[in-house]
Amino acid sequence: MTATTLLEAELLRLAGSVPDPELPVLTLEELGVVRALRLRGTDAVEVEFTPTYTGCPAIETMSQDIERVLRERGLRDVTVRTVLAPAWSTDDITAEGRRKLREFGIAPPRTRAASGPVAVALGPTRTRAAEPERTAEAGHVVPPDPVRCPHCGAADTELLSRFSSTACKALRRCLACREPFDHFKEV
C-alpha cells in the first residue's frame, strides 16, 4: 500500500477497513488487496485494488464497499481501479489476517520461503508424513510445510476436496481431532 499525505494515509486505512465479503473476519487491508490511494483535488480519490484472482466473484462488492465508506467520509468522486500487476499473492495476507483466519477455523495459507514459481503437487492428499519435495534445483530437497488443523494444531490432515465454499479455499479434515476445516490455498 502506498500513500503520500496524512489524509491519503487516513483514507487508505479507511478503505482497507472494509470487511472481505467472503471472509468477513478479515479486512481488505489484512487480505492485502488495497494497494494505493491518491487524492485528486479536495474531494476526489482513486483507489488501486488487486483482487485475489481475476475471476473472484467478490470484486464488485469489494469495490462498492470501498466507494461507500469513502463517500461516507465526504469524498464526492471515488474511483476504484482494478490493478492486476503485481499480482496478489497469499504472502500479502498480514500476520494479523493469518491469526484471524486460524481463530475463525480456517487454516491460513502457508508462507513461502522464496518468491517464484509455486510447485503444484499431484501426489498424496495427506500432509502428515514429511515427504520430501524436489525444488526446481536438482538435488535440493525441501520438506513440505504441513497444513495444520486450526482447531487442534495437528499436522496430520487430509485433503477432502480441492475446493470448498469459495474457490480460494480447499476442504480438509484433521485426522487427530476428526474435524473438517477450510484451508486458504497458497497462490
Side-chain angles (χ1 to χ4, degrees):
M1 289 192 271
T2 60
T4 55
T5 68
L6 289 176
L7 179 57
E8 287 173 325
E10 175 198 338
L11 295 173
L12 185 62
R13 278 193 300 276
L14 186 60
S17 70
V18 169
D20 178 85
E22 292 182 332
L23 295 165
V25 68
L26 294 181
T27 65
L28 297 184
E29 179 182 5
E30 292 163 343
L31 191 58
V33 297
V34 177
R35 296 289 170 95
L37 181 141
R38 285 179 207 80
L39 272 172
R40 305 281 187 221
T42 57
D43 63 352
V45 67
E46 178 181 281
V47 178
E48 290 183 358
F49 162 80
T50 301
T52 55
Y53 65 98
T54 55
C56 177
I59 291 173
E60 190 63 32
T61 300
M62 286 189 254
S63 296
Q64 291 171 351
D65 289 347
I66 290 170
E67 286 182 39
R68 180 185 43 78
V69 299
L70 292 174
R71 287 182 200 275
E72 288 172 357
R73 170 64 174 72
L75 295 160
R76 176 188 50 80
D77 184 13
V78 178
T79 303
V80 178
R81 197 164 61 88
T82 301
V83 177
L84 301 179
W88 179 86
S89 156
T90 49
D91 293 340
D92 295 331
I93 299 175
T94 65
E96 179 67 7
R98 292 170 187 277
R99 183 192 64 76
K100 286 182 174 180
L101 283 172
R102 195 174 301 108
E103 285 184 4
F104 195 63
I106 299 173
R110 294 167 288 187
T111 54
R112 293 179 286 158
S115 63
V118 175
V120 177
L122 300 175
T125 59
R126 291 190 178 196
T127 60
R128 178 182 180 192
E131 299 169 22
E133 292 180 355
R134 296 225 174 256
T135 63
E137 299 174 39
H140 289 95
V141 177
V142 178
D145 183 22
V147 176
R148 295 193 172 274
C149 173
H151 306 295
C152 72
D156 190 6
T157 65
E158 68 178 343
L159 180 68
L160 297 177
S161 173
R162 295 198 186 278
F163 297 96
S164 184
S165 58
T166 60
C168 57
K169 293 182 285 185
L171 181 61
R172 301 191 73 90
R173 175 176 45 205
C174 178
L175 298 174
C177 71
R178 309 300 298 169
E179 289 292 324
F181 64 92
D182 283 338
H183 169 227
F184 201 115
K185 297 183 282 191
E186 294 81 19
V187 177

